[in-house]
Amino acid sequence: MVTVLGRKVGLRQLETKLKRDWEKKGSIKIIDVPRDYYQVLFTSEEGYNNAFLNGPWIIFDHYILVQR
């Protein structure tokens, strides 16, 4: 699950950013869920570990909060 702290970001904007940064190995799928959260599904464990352990991730000068 991810959310952007302090700003509302559209699905397409976030999807473009995350695909550019997180699709090193495998692919991702982003699902819009209520309350400005997004579920991110990974096809590879390496991609998941990259997103969860590396960072911080930033979009429009706001942090992207990554949660299990």
Side-chain angles (χ1 to χ4, degrees):
M1 298 292 283
V2 300
T3 189
V4 179
L5 296 176
R7 181 174 179 164
K8 288 189 177 194
V9 176
L11 176 62
R12 295 293 174 217
Q13 294 168 322
L14 186 63
E15 185 175 44
T16 300
K17 166 71 173 165
L18 296 184
K19 284 189 175 196
R20 185 178 64 234
D21 292 348
W22 291 359
E23 282 191 339
K24 306 294 183 198
K25 300 273 180 165
S27 62
I28 63 172
K29 180 179 179 181
I30 302 172
I31 301 169
D32 190 4
V33 295
R35 299 189 181 177
D36 300 321
Y37 279 87
Y38 300 91
Q39 183 177 12
V40 181
L41 305 173
F42 294 86
T43 59
S44 79
E45 188 172 341
E46 187 176 336
Y48 168 79
N49 289 333
N50 174 53
F52 191 69
L53 299 175
N54 297 333
W57 306 104
I58 298 174
I59 186 169
F60 304 125
D61 295 327
H62 291 268
Y63 288 102
I64 300 172
L65 179 63
V66 181
Q67 303 172 349
R68 287 185 189 243

